[in-house]
């Protein structure tokens, strides 16, 4: 860019003070020796919109976030989206839901109590900041919990597994894999990290809603999905993965690393759904609006989004409402940039969503587990429907219809 984004987005405030003629100037200039020992702060390449990039310091990253400006930190992933650009194929999604007889009985097994139990533990870490040791510990706990869930279902005997996707900053992402009859993959995601945007390395960041709520929501959907013998025995046409991303708050770092790896290795990801903030409903109610599920409509795949609306209509007990969140507002943006169909569902319209995030007050007491249950119903239903979708057949039918 010709002009610095930071110069445009973060105008400097004047900080000089006039000094009287008879006043002692106690502001001493730095010595040459001090200047020589000062190290320039590390700078990161961020993208705030497609093609709009700038180099910033870490503190400038947090200042942007405090101002509500989202971005992707592409420093280590500048080639995301270019690795297999010529081989990208459009996914064809079903025109309607079809597996009601299988899914409806499963929905009653979703447990609000388990989501609360998991969220109480997850928010007990001082912070889940991705560069902190607390963030490492919370990731270790999450991996162990996912692995325990697999073992309790007896799914490990059939090759279902959960592993860390390792990162250099300490907090690793978690990927659970349910093998299917093909390598075509359906991904459900949430981010595990939290942040206090004022002093990330020091201050508490319970992150109950952002994104502890999404983390435990998809964990509960995963648990109930494993009660299906057809699923754990690998009879679904597609492989199913659940992702818990590290470092979303740092600029989608964990999800970028994963989808860069998938793109580089030619992974066939048919669909990716992100669940980021699923528990806060009070803003909607205070606005005099009916409780609903927020379906993001910008920077997402429109066909996948249309199918998600059908899933909500069939399997949830509340309606959907359309909303927008801007560029790079959660990890689905990484999948989208890699060329994969992605979507994002949030707790409400973006304007009515939780305003207590990114600080010390993002607490469980403000959340509704009844509302989180609706997100779990949607997540379980979507992944089951798409897990058993014959995408190649849909593609052939569309091609025949175009002849």
């Amino acid at each position: 860019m010709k002009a610095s984004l930071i110069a445009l987005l973060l105008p400097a405030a004047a900080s000089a003070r006039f000094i009287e003629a008879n006043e002692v100037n106690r502001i001493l200039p730095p010595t040459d020796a001090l200047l020589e020992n000062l190290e320039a702060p590390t700078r990161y390449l961020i993208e705030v919109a497609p093609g709009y990039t700038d180099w910033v310091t870490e503190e400038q990253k947090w200042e942007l976030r405090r101002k509500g400006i989202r971005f992707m930190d592409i420093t280590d992933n500048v080639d995301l989206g270019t690795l297999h650009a010529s081989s990208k194929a459009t996914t064809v999604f079903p025109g309607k839901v079809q597996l009601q007889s299988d899914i409806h009985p499963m929905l009653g097994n979703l447990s609000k109590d388990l989501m609360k139990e998991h969220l109480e533990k997850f928010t007990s870490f001082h912070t889940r900041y991705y560069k902190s040791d607390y963030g490492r510990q919370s990731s270790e706990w999450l991996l162990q919990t996912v692995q325990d869930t697999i073992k309790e279902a007896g799914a490990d005997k059939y090759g279902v597994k959960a592993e860390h996707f390792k990162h250099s900053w300490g907090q690793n992402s978690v990927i659970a894999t349910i093998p299917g009859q093909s390598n075509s993959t359906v991904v459900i995601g949430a981010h595990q990290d939290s942040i206090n945007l004022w002093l990330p390395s020091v201050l508490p960041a319970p992150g109950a809603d952002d994104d502890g709520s999404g983390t435990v929501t998809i964990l509960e959907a995963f648990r109930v999905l494993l009660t299906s013998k057809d699923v754990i025995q690998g009879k679904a046409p597609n492989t199913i993965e659940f992702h818990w991303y590290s470092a979303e708050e740092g600029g989608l770092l964990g999800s970028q690393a994963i989808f860069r790896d998938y793109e580089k290795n030619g992974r066939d990801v048919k669909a990716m759904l992100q669940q980021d903030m699923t528990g806060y409903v009070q803003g909607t109610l205070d606005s005099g609006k009916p409780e609903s599920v927020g379906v993001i409509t910008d920077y997402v795949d429109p066909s996948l989004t249309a199918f998600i609306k059908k899933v909500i209509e069939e399997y949830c007990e509340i309606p959907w409402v359309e909303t927008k969140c801007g560029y790079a507002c959660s990890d689905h943006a990484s999948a989208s940039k890699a060329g994969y169909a992605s979507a994002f569902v949030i707790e409400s319209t973006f304007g009515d969503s939780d305003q207590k995030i990114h600080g010390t007050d993002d607490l469980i007491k403000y959340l509704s587990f009844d509302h989180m249950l609706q997100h779990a119903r949607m997540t379980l239903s979507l992944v089951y429907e798409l897990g058993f979708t014959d995408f190649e057949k849909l593609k052939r039918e569309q091609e025949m219809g175009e002849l």
Side-chain angles (χ1 to χ4, degrees), residues 110-127:
L110 293 166
S111 169
K112 293 185 292 183
D113 290 340
L114 273 177
M115 285 193 286
K116 184 177 181 181
E117 177 184 326
H118 286 145
L119 191 55
E120 286 174 344
K121 174 61 179 180
F122 208 45
T123 56
S124 70
F125 294 95
H126 179 73
T127 181

Side-chain angles (χ1 to χ4, degrees), residues 36 64 81 119 300 333 367 385-386 389:
E36 289 176 1
L64 287 167
L119 191 55
V300 294
L367 305 185
E385 286 274 359
L386 293 184
T389 293

Side-chain angles (χ1 to χ4, degrees), residues 107-380:
L107 298 178
N109 295 325
L110 293 166
S111 169
K112 293 185 292 183
D113 290 340
L114 273 177
M115 285 193 286
K116 184 177 181 181
E117 177 184 326
H118 286 145
L119 191 55
E120 286 174 344
K121 174 61 179 180
F122 208 45
T123 56
S124 70
F125 294 95
H126 179 73
T127 181
R128 302 191 304 277
Y129 178 51
Y130 66 98
K131 290 185 177 181
S132 70
D133 193 57
Y134 293 113
R136 180 195 61 79
Q137 293 174 33
S138 62
S139 180
E140 295 287 350
W141 174 85
L142 180 59
L143 175 62
Q144 187 62 57
T145 301
V146 176
Q147 290 175 336
D148 289 346
T149 300
I150 293 170
K151 290 178 181 178
E152 289 167 6
D156 54 324
K157 302 171 185 176
Y158 299 98
V160 179
K161 63 181 180 179
E163 300 173 321
H164 268 149
F165 186 100
K166 294 185 178 181
H167 304 294
S168 61
W169 48 81
Q171 182 190 65
N172 296 317
S173 296
V174 174
I175 297 179
T177 304
I178 308 172
Q181 294 178 359
S182 74
N183 290 325
S184 297
T185 305
V186 176
V187 175
I188 300 294
H191 73 87
Q192 57 175 286
D193 61 313
S194 66
I195 196 168
N196 188 309
L197 286 176
W198 299 100
L199 286 172
S201 297
V202 178
L203 294 179
D209 196 24
D210 189 14
D211 183 26
S213 62
T215 292
V216 303
T217 292
I218 73 166
L219 176 59
E220 181 59 12
F222 177 69
R223 183 189 70 83
V224 175
L225 182 64
L226 296 183
T227 64
S228 167
K229 293 298 183 183
D230 286 343
V231 169
I232 66 173
Q233 291 176 8
K235 295 180 180 180
N238 305 299
T239 292
I240 295 169
E241 291 185 353
F242 279 69
H243 294 185
W244 290 268
Y245 304 112
S246 168
E248 186 268 356
E249 302 289 6
L252 317 187
L253 296 173
S255 58
Q256 283 190 80
I258 289 171
F259 286 110
R260 182 185 182 278
D261 180 78
Y262 282 19
E263 182 190 12
K264 181 180 178 181
N265 290 294
R267 287 288 303 274
D268 181 23
V269 176
K270 294 300 186 184
M272 183 272 180
L273 170 69
Q274 177 75 349
Q275 289 279 271
D276 189 349
M277 299 169 57
T278 65
Y280 184 75
V281 71
Q282 197 58 47
T284 300
L285 302 179
D286 289 346
S287 298
K289 303 171 186 175
E291 181 180 355
S292 55
V293 176
V295 177
I296 301 297
T297 59
D298 59 336
Y299 298 102
V300 294
D301 184 89
S303 297
L304 174 57
T305 300
F307 183 67
I308 288 171
K309 291 177 180 178
K310 293 180 173 67
V311 168
I312 295 170
E313 290 167 357
E314 174 63 34
Y315 299 110
C316 293
E317 299 163 325
I318 58 176
W320 52 264
V321 60
E322 291 186 347
T323 189
K324 296 181 179 181
C325 68
Y327 184 69
C329 67
S330 198
D331 291 301
H332 64 291
S334 299
S336 179
K337 192 173 183 181
Y340 302 126
S342 72
F344 177 22
V345 176
I346 193 172
E347 59 205 7
S348 63
T349 64
F350 207 67
D352 292 327
S353 64
D354 198 340
Q355 301 302 303
K356 298 179 177 67
I357 61 174
H358 302 152
T360 59
D361 207 28
D362 186 358
L363 302 171
I364 290 178
K365 67 181 182 179
Y366 300 115
L367 305 185
S368 165
F369 286 92
D370 286 319
H371 193 68
M372 289 166 62
L373 183 64
Q374 298 302 314
H375 280 263
R377 291 172 68 99
M378 184 272 298
T379 303
L380 174 61

Side-chain angles (χ1 to χ4, degrees), residues 10-16:
L10 300 177
S15 59

